[in-house]
Amino acid sequence: IGATNRPGGEPERETQQPSSVRDQGRRSVVKMSAKTGEQQIGAWVTALCAKKPTPGGGAAAAVAAAIGAASGAMAAIYTTRKKDEESGVAAEARALASALDAAAARCIVLADEDESAYAALQASWKDESLSAEDKAKIEATALNVPVSLLKLCHEQSAAVANFLPRCNPNITSDAKVCIHLLAGAGRAAYQTVLVNQPKEEVKAALLPLLTDLAKHEKLVLPEGF
């Protein structure tokens, strides 16, 4: 779950129990907003701008990844011309488009899971009836959301980078947009991972994915960039 420092104010989201919760409950419990996929993007962005805990950085990363995956899906489905059918590339392109379409939908779900996980995490700070085991499960769920997002970004970015040489040359820029957005979203997700104070072995397992994302971006940037 992400942490955001608002100018002139206290951190809106953090993994440790904030002082505003301890001090006579001045901060209210997180209220769930409408599902991300049911909102107009302008309204969702306005909600992200607001001084409230959710949606936050974790959801922002997920939405960015969804947009990136959708851009890649468009590039893939446009690689189904007659010449692509004849070469066999069209079948590969359709499979990639389907996978990216599913990934985009999954990212929207992850945005909502980020909000739900944070609500449960915040509630756990004040619920003295929860056992240590229950609190550990809640914390693990909060960590799993950005970990899952980073892994998804890595998988789909690698697929698009591999497909790029066969992509319709008239729309490769959209495939490259996909790679850039997935790389950025993956790195953003890692920042959210860190907020949740993961064990060293978790960070060690994710760092190679970040390295790969940087390699994918380098492939589509001008030489010497």
Side-chain angles (χ1 to χ4, degrees):
I1 304 304
T4 304
N5 290 314
R6 302 292 184 184
E10 63 183 356
E12 290 294 335
R13 291 156 51 107
E14 47 190 90
T15 55
Q16 300 300 317
Q17 183 177 0
S19 59
S20 56
V21 172
R22 293 193 298 268
D23 296 342
Q24 300 178 354
R26 293 185 317 189
R27 179 182 296 168
S28 61
V29 174
V30 174
K31 294 182 179 179
M32 299 296 291
S33 61
K35 288 186 176 180
T36 305
E38 298 174 353
Q39 299 181 62
Q40 294 290 329
I41 191 167
W44 188 88
V45 170
T46 297
L48 181 62
C49 291
K51 187 179 181 181
K52 60 179 184 178
T54 58
V63 170
I67 295 171
S71 180
M74 179 179 66
I77 205 63
Y78 266 107
T79 310
T80 53
R81 302 161 298 173
K82 182 178 179 180
K83 65 176 66 176
D84 300 317
E85 298 286 0
E86 293 172 349
S87 68
V89 171
E92 177 189 3
R94 288 192 183 90
L96 177 60
S98 179
L100 287 165
D101 190 18
R106 175 58 184 152
C107 287
I108 295 299
V109 172
L110 284 171
D112 291 329
E113 290 182 359
D114 175 83
E115 185 170 349
S116 298
Y118 180 72
L121 186 63
Q122 189 187 47
S124 74
W125 293 332
K126 298 185 290 183
D127 190 345
E128 297 180 357
S129 68
L130 288 174
S131 67
E133 181 180 1
D134 287 337
K135 289 187 176 183
K137 289 180 179 178
I138 291 171
E139 292 168 358
T141 298
L143 173 61
N144 186 59
V145 174
V147 168
S148 297
L149 179 59
L150 174 50
K151 290 180 178 179
L152 181 152
C153 290
H154 174 265
E155 179 182 4
Q156 300 306 322
S157 176
V160 175
N162 178 66
F163 175 74
L164 194 58
R166 297 175 296 286
C167 183
N168 181 338
N170 297 317
I171 201 166
T172 54
S173 63
D174 295 275
K176 293 174 181 178
V177 165
C178 169
I179 291 173
H180 286 307
L181 286 175
L182 288 175
R187 285 191 287 267
Y190 186 70
Q191 293 299 327
T192 308
V193 168
L194 295 180
V195 170
N196 285 280
Q197 302 175 344
K199 295 180 179 179
E200 289 301 318
E201 53 263 35
V202 173
K203 291 190 286 185
L206 296 178
L207 286 176
L209 306 188
L210 296 176
T211 299
D212 286 346
L213 287 173
K215 291 179 180 178
H216 301 160
E217 277 203 291
K218 188 174 182 180
L219 286 173
V220 300
L221 289 169
E223 187 175 351
F225 188 87

